[in-house]
Amino acid sequence: MQQAQQGQPSYSLLVNQLAALLEGQRDFVTNQSQFAALIFHSLTDISWAGFYWSKENSHLNLGSYQGNIACAQIAIGEGVCGKVAQQKQAHLVSDVNQFDGHIACDLGSQSELVYPIIKNEQLLGVFDIDSYSLGRFNQADLEGIGSLIDIFMRSTDF
Ligand code: SME
């Protein structure tokens, strides 16, 4: 049995939980909804978790999420999500107030982790997690979320 540390479940435990949750189901809407709910309710100190999906290579549209209502559309290149989509590279932002162009969907948000979702070198969307705490996310979160996104990608038809 893997132990939780400081109230935080291990990512390897979450990987097993996600694989079991998505088993036998490949629907895009179903799986992204399950994914967002699992992350939001498993990680501590999270204020928002959800997807934005690329449309016409020009903007991102809000997908399934957990948390407060959020910005419906973000231009590629704008905000943390738009930058991640443009650069196809994950961003760890320990203080969103220091990030030039950060889009404050929720004024309480202080730190953020955004991970790109890429298939066949094409950007499909991003997964965004926010926290009301400064510096909430670290390299272990980035790698852990990456492993979870890998499972989501392999388990879902796009
Ligand atoms: N803060 C994000 C926008 C999305 S919300 O936080 C849910 C950004 O700067 O891209």
Side-chain angles (χ1 to χ4, degrees):
M1 182 77 164
Q2 286 151 318
Q3 296 296 309
Q5 285 174 359
Q6 297 168 352
Q8 183 90 326
S10 73
Y11 279 101
S12 56
L13 182 61
L14 275 178
V15 158
N16 292 338
Q17 286 178 337
L18 180 69
L21 187 63
L22 302 188
E23 198 180 341
Q25 177 58 264
R26 300 197 59 85
D27 184 80
F28 176 63
V29 174
T30 304
N31 285 1
Q32 67 171 298
S33 303
Q34 297 281 54
F35 188 97
L38 180 71
I39 300 296
F40 185 77
H41 292 286
S42 301
L43 299 184
T44 56
D45 199 13
I46 299 296
S47 58
W48 197 90
F51 292 92
Y52 280 92
W53 297 108
S54 176
K55 300 287 170 189
E56 296 143 21
N57 289 326
S58 70
H59 59 275
L60 300 166
N61 271 359
L62 183 60
S64 296
Y65 68 94
Q66 298 269 312
N68 285 333
I69 53 170
C71 314
Q73 199 166 96
I74 296 173
I76 303 281
E78 287 186 9
V80 186
C81 291
K83 279 272 175 337
V84 168
Q86 189 176 53
Q87 298 173 359
K88 296 186 190 165
Q89 243 179 19
H91 277 44
L92 270 177
V93 182
S94 43
D95 181 355
V96 297
N97 307 295
Q98 304 298 320
F99 188 96
D100 195 21
H102 169 255
I103 299 166
C105 295
D106 178 342
L107 288 176
S109 179
Q110 297 297 316
S111 60
E112 179 160 2
L113 188 169
V114 183
Y115 204 95
I117 300 170
I118 297 164
K119 192 168 188 175
N120 301 329
E121 292 172 32
Q122 196 192 340
L123 188 279
L124 300 183
V126 304
F127 183 68
D128 178 17
I129 318 180
D130 299 334
S131 173
Y132 288 154
S133 299
L134 284 168
R136 160 65 183 81
F137 305 104
N138 58 28
Q139 194 62 28
D141 292 297
L142 195 142
E143 287 165 19
I145 293 298
S147 312
L148 293 166
I149 291 286
D150 279 351
I151 292 174
F152 169 69
M153 298 285 295
R154 278 189 267 118
S155 310
T156 304
D157 292 331
F158 288 88

